[in-house]
Amino acid sequence: MNKTVNINLANTLFHIDDDAYNKLRRYLESIKRSFAGTAGSDEIIADIEARIAELFLEKMENERQVITHKEVDQVINVMGQPEDYMVDEDIFEDEPKKSHTQSSTTKGKKLYRDIEHKYIGGVCAGLEHYLGIDALWIRLIFILLAVFTSGFGLIAYILLWILVPEATTTSQKLDMRGEPINISNIERKVKEGFDDVADKVKSVDYDKVGDKVKSSSKTFFDTIGDIIMFLFKIFGKFIGILLIIIGAATLVGLFFGMFTVGLFDAVHFPGVDFYEIVNTTGAPVWLVSILLFFAVGIPFFFLLYLGLKILVTNLKSIGNIAKFSLLGLWLISVGLLIAFGVRQAAEFSNTGSIHEKEQIALQNPTDTLVIKMNDNDYLYSRDDVHFGRMTFTYDENDKRILISDEVEIKMRKSEDSLVNITVRKDANGSSSLAARDRAKNIEYGYEIVGNQIILDEYLTTDVSNKARHQEVTTTIHIPEGTVVRFEESTRGHIGRGISNDQDYYRSSIIGHVWKMDQDGELKCQNCPENVDEEDTHGKNKIIINEDGIDIDIKDETDSFEMKINEDGIKVKAKD
């Protein structure tokens, strides 16, 4: 029958038999003697006792279990004997220090929050020890997750802050680093802490402190100043985080766009088609995408770097060579983009025109001449990418072409008794000759069917001609006395300046029958008759349609007063 003893070890109650207790007592007394007179000896002993209590708890199956001689021997085997570490450091300064850790049980790392190197909660600093990755990269990962995963990184950080314990004791700090928790490491860790404190004490300017104490404690205004400085620091940290988010998000977007759209064309974006429509510099899209990446990305990289400098005070510099190399690369990229832009702008600096004139003979000159557009919408399937009114389409042979509805119709009096059609094709170019060549490549046609002139609704050109404000103006010259009518299909294509006795503007002439007089003016044959002058005296007419606003004042003595304000439009006639 063995006698048991209750002991309190590191504020934990244990039941231990008498023989095991005596051995444990002698062991602890030898440790105390070994560290007698050592700086921080009390803290070393307390940490050793806490570690022994932790090892006892790991070996107990229930709280009533009695600690025996066997458990004490196992703990001593892990912790080591004090004499194993008693080495003259001056003699063996160049030799590796003997340690019992080689025969000790080595445990894996445990996840703790490192509050000694924390920035907010010590989560990233603790993960640095656990994963072996620099805390700076872990912080960047959390920031990127917070930006690109709808705040998941922030939520994960807060959860780890709440759930992961902080490393407060020496044993926990050694456990966090994966170092064996024995007498030697506990002693070393505690001494490191005391050395840090000693260095801080030695670096104190005692004269300055004495003067400050003599002068008085902090005044109210000093406290206000400290609060303001604290707020400024918080604001600076916020600016740093904001710069990191903006810089990282922009770089990621540019990097993704350069590789998927610019280099490999893995993702089809309308912007690439738009580039194909307008580009005449000869620079491929992959080259422009790389230049844009450097021209835009390098400033945002330095923005990201500035944010890191604000947050991490001991961040290493990237070096002058890297800085000047990036600056040179940025200048080259910007210079090439400007050169491409100037060359592109030159493509719109000149306008060239060609004229194609044809005389036609109508089968029945006395019949009404009908002007209509060729309804060939079904021939083309247009894309959604536009430059002005020009876009991509495919012809009946599935050939990709450029198409535009920039087609205008004008009406003039003929100098002879025949109907003449003049087609003017316009385009822009870097020179007048280049513009004329591009205008010649415009494909546009019409046909005469009986007394109908059927004009193409669209002009087309090859994609190699690019979009350079190509347009077609068809002028129809008709003899005096010719009756003409514009059909509904010409709406949107009627040009300005068709003189008529009704002063109708552009599309308003559609649907009426007109006759060319000797002065080159169209006379309406079926328009409503004018109201008597006495009935219109003091009255006015306003017509609002797709062509704009038409205000008709019959009497020169009459006038209009129009006011537009937040209540709407007020129109008032006054004598």
Side-chain angles (χ1 to χ4, degrees):
M1 184 173 64
N2 295 329
K3 178 183 177 181
T4 61
V5 179
N6 294 330
I7 62 172
N8 187 333
L9 189 63
N11 295 323
T12 305
L13 183 64
F14 294 98
H15 304 288
I16 185 170
D17 67 34
D18 191 48
D19 292 339
Y21 167 74
N22 289 328
K23 187 170 186 176
L24 179 62
R25 179 176 54 80
R26 290 192 298 271
Y27 178 70
L28 292 175
E29 287 176 355
S30 65
I31 292 175
K32 290 179 181 179
R33 287 194 300 270
S34 298
F35 295 111
T38 303
S41 59
D42 292 339
E43 186 173 347
I44 294 174
I45 299 301
D47 283 331
I48 291 174
E49 290 181 354
R51 177 56 179 163
I52 292 173
E54 183 181 305
L55 292 174
F56 280 154
L57 289 172
E58 290 180 358
K59 300 180 182 302
M60 293 176 59
E61 296 180 359
N62 57 72
E63 61 182 16
R64 295 188 176 214
Q65 181 176 336
V66 176
I67 303 298
T68 64
H69 205 282
K70 177 184 176 182
E71 283 78 24
V72 173
D73 287 339
Q74 291 175 348
V75 168
I76 293 173
N77 185 50
V78 173
M79 298 298 294
Q81 295 289 346
E83 57 268 18
D84 294 336
Y85 309 102
M86 301 301 293
V87 202
D88 192 341
E89 297 179 356
D90 294 332
I91 297 175
F92 303 102
E93 183 177 359
D94 298 329
E95 297 185 14
K97 189 174 180 180
K98 291 174 61 178
S99 174
H100 192 72
T101 57
Q102 295 176 356
S103 61
S104 302
T105 303
T106 303
K107 299 177 60 177
K109 297 179 183 179
K110 288 186 178 180
L111 181 58
Y112 288 95
R113 289 187 289 112
D114 187 357
I115 58 175
E116 292 181 353
H117 302 92
K118 70 176 183 177
Y119 178 71
I120 298 177
V123 173
C124 297
L127 288 172
E128 176 182 10
H129 299 296
Y130 190 75
L131 301 175
I133 303 174
D134 191 275
L136 174 62
W137 298 110
I138 297 176
R139 292 186 178 105
L140 286 176
I141 290 173
F142 273 111
I143 292 174
L144 292 177
L145 287 176
V147 174
F148 296 105
T149 58
S150 302
F152 172 76
L154 179 61
I155 296 173
Y157 186 91
I158 294 174
L159 289 176
L160 289 173
W161 192 355
I162 296 172
L163 299 176
V164 177
E166 64 183 30
T168 54
T169 67
T170 304
S171 297
Q172 291 172 337
K173 294 174 184 176
L174 292 172
D175 230 357
M176 178 176 64
R177 290 170 170 79
E179 301 178 13
I181 308 173
N182 50 36
I183 296 176
S184 174
N185 286 333
I186 291 175
E187 176 192 6
R188 176 180 55 81
K189 194 65 181 174
V190 172
K191 284 186 175 181
E192 287 177 358
F194 272 84
D195 291 340
D196 291 341
V197 174
D199 291 339
K200 292 179 181 178
V201 172
K202 290 178 183 177
S203 63
V204 173
D205 189 346
Y206 292 99
D207 293 336
K208 184 177 179 180
V209 173
D211 293 339
K212 189 172 182 180
V213 172
K214 290 178 182 178
S215 63
S216 68
S217 59
K218 285 188 176 181
T219 64
F220 171 77
F221 295 103
D222 292 330
T223 305
I224 295 296
D226 290 344
I227 294 174
I228 294 175
M229 288 302 298
F230 174 77
L231 294 177
F232 271 114
K233 289 180 180 179
I234 296 296
F235 180 73
K237 299 296 183 183
F238 173 76
I239 294 297
I241 294 174
L242 188 63
L243 293 178
I244 290 175
I245 293 174
I246 294 174
T250 304
L251 288 175
V252 170
L254 288 172
F255 189 79
F256 176 80
M258 181 183 68
F259 276 92
T260 57
V261 179
L263 297 183
F264 303 121
D265 197 19
V267 180
H268 186 75
F269 281 112
V272 178
D273 288 336
F274 177 81
Y275 179 81
E276 292 181 4
I277 291 180
V278 300
N279 175 47
T280 55
T281 62
V285 65
W286 63 265
L287 176 60
V288 175
S289 65
I290 292 176
L291 294 177
L292 284 173
F293 177 79
F294 288 129
V296 180
I298 290 176
F300 278 95
F301 168 77
F302 281 105
L303 201 67
L304 171 64
Y305 182 71
L306 176 61
L308 292 174
K309 290 286 287 185
I310 294 174
L311 295 181
V312 185
T313 56
N314 59 344
L315 183 67
K316 292 183 180 179
S317 174
I318 62 175
N320 290 331
I321 295 178
K323 290 179 182 177
F324 286 112
S325 298
L326 290 174
L327 177 61
L329 191 59
W330 180 78
L331 291 174
I332 292 173
S333 301
V334 171
L336 288 175
L337 288 175
I338 291 175
F340 289 153
V342 171
R343 183 174 177 182
Q344 184 70 29
E347 291 293 325
F348 295 88
S349 59
N350 294 277
T351 301
S353 302
I354 64 168
H355 295 76
E356 299 173 355
K357 187 174 181 180
E358 181 183 3
Q359 287 185 344
I360 61 175
L362 300 178
Q363 294 181 357
N364 298 304
T366 58
D367 290 349
T368 301
L369 177 64
V370 178
I371 312 297
K372 62 186 297 187
M373 309 301 292
N374 187 10
D375 186 13
N376 53 2
D377 262 348
Y378 65 93
L379 292 177
Y380 305 109
S381 56
R382 283 168 284 179
D383 288 349
D384 293 330
V385 181
H386 293 266
F387 180 73
R389 295 169 68 173
M390 180 162 281
T391 184
F392 283 116
T393 188
Y394 297 90
D395 62 11
E396 61 273 12
N397 298 319
D398 289 332
K399 179 184 176 182
R400 200 178 196 195
I401 58 175
L402 291 173
I403 186 172
S404 173
D405 62 351
E406 195 74 45
V407 175
E408 189 174 76
I409 305 171
K410 292 185 178 181
M411 182 72 67
R412 297 289 184 269
K413 180 177 176 294
S414 177
E415 298 296 331
D416 49 34
S417 60
L418 297 176
V419 176
N420 300 291
I421 297 180
T422 302
V423 176
R424 190 187 74 195
K425 301 177 182 179
D426 298 318
N428 290 337
S430 58
S431 64
S432 297
L433 182 60
R436 282 179 53 83
D437 288 339
R438 186 172 280 116
K440 289 178 182 178
N441 292 324
I442 296 175
E443 296 183 10
Y444 183 80
Y446 59 88
E447 60 178 336
I448 311 299
V449 179
N451 269 39
Q452 292 184 349
I453 299 178
I454 305 175
L455 305 170
D456 284 349
E457 189 174 359
Y458 302 100
L459 65 89
T460 61
T461 187
D462 192 81
V463 293
S464 61
N465 295 312
K466 307 297 181 180
R468 291 296 178 268
H469 290 162
Q470 287 95 334
E471 61 182 22
V472 169
T473 302
T474 302
T475 304
I476 303 174
H477 300 264
I478 60 176
E480 178 185 349
T482 301
V483 179
V484 63
R485 175 169 56 85
F486 293 88
E487 289 204 349
E488 183 64 28
S489 60
T490 60
R491 185 175 298 276
H493 297 281
I494 303 297
R496 301 180 181 87
I498 297 181
S499 177
N500 61 88
D501 62 343
Q502 301 294 319
D503 291 330
Y504 284 172
Y505 182 71
R506 303 187 73 169
S507 297
S508 299
I509 68 176
I510 294 175
H512 300 292
V513 178
W514 305 88
K515 185 176 182 180
M516 179 65 69
D517 67 2
Q518 61 180 359
D519 297 325
E521 184 179 60
L522 293 176
K523 298 290 185 179
C524 187
Q525 304 299 301
N526 61 348
C527 294
E529 294 183 0
N530 294 331
V531 184
D532 294 337
E533 183 176 353
E534 61 270 13
D535 294 334
T536 60
H537 181 72
K539 296 181 181 180
N540 300 272
K541 177 180 68 173
I542 297 179
I543 299 175
I544 302 177
N545 54 26
E546 71 277 2
D547 297 319
I549 300 177
D550 184 6
I551 300 177
D552 184 19
I553 300 177
K554 295 297 184 182
D555 196 313
E556 294 182 357
T557 60
D558 292 344
S559 63
F560 255 107
E561 178 184 9
M562 178 178 287
K563 294 181 180 180
I564 303 176
N565 54 29
E566 67 275 4
D567 298 324
I569 300 176
K570 179 180 179 182
V571 180
K572 178 181 179 182
K574 61 182 181 180
D575 295 336

